[in-house]
Amino acid sequence: MSDIASMAASSTQMSQQNVREQAQIAVMKQSQDMAQQGAVQLLEGVTETAVATTGANPSEQVGTTIDVRA
């Protein structure tokens, strides 16, 4: 009788472990998705800023190049 009880307990424990692993995987996937969305937003922000500032004011380029030939 104790063999049946130990097998049932072992089966229950394995099932619970499987549920925990599945939950951990789901949380990890959500975390990865959120990180990916954040990275995309950062890249879009940098791109928009670069496009907005490129060629906006020609005087910003004055003094950026040094002629070292003398």
Side-chain angles (χ1 to χ4, degrees):
M1 195 74 149
S2 69
D3 290 338
I4 294 173
S6 67
M7 284 193 296
S10 177
S11 176
T12 301
Q13 186 179 20
M14 288 172 52
S15 178
Q16 289 174 347
Q17 180 64 29
N18 188 23
V19 169
R20 277 188 230 120
E21 288 174 359
Q22 294 300 322
Q24 289 172 344
I25 290 171
V27 169
M28 184 181 67
K29 286 181 180 181
Q30 286 178 339
S31 174
Q32 286 177 333
D33 290 343
M34 288 172 47
Q36 181 182 9
Q37 290 173 356
V40 168
Q41 288 176 348
L42 284 173
L43 290 174
E44 287 174 350
V46 169
T47 304
E48 290 171 3
T49 302
V51 169
T53 60
T54 303
N57 189 357
S59 66
E60 290 177 359
Q61 296 180 2
V62 174
T64 60
T65 306
I66 301 171
D67 187 5
V68 294
R69 289 182 267 154

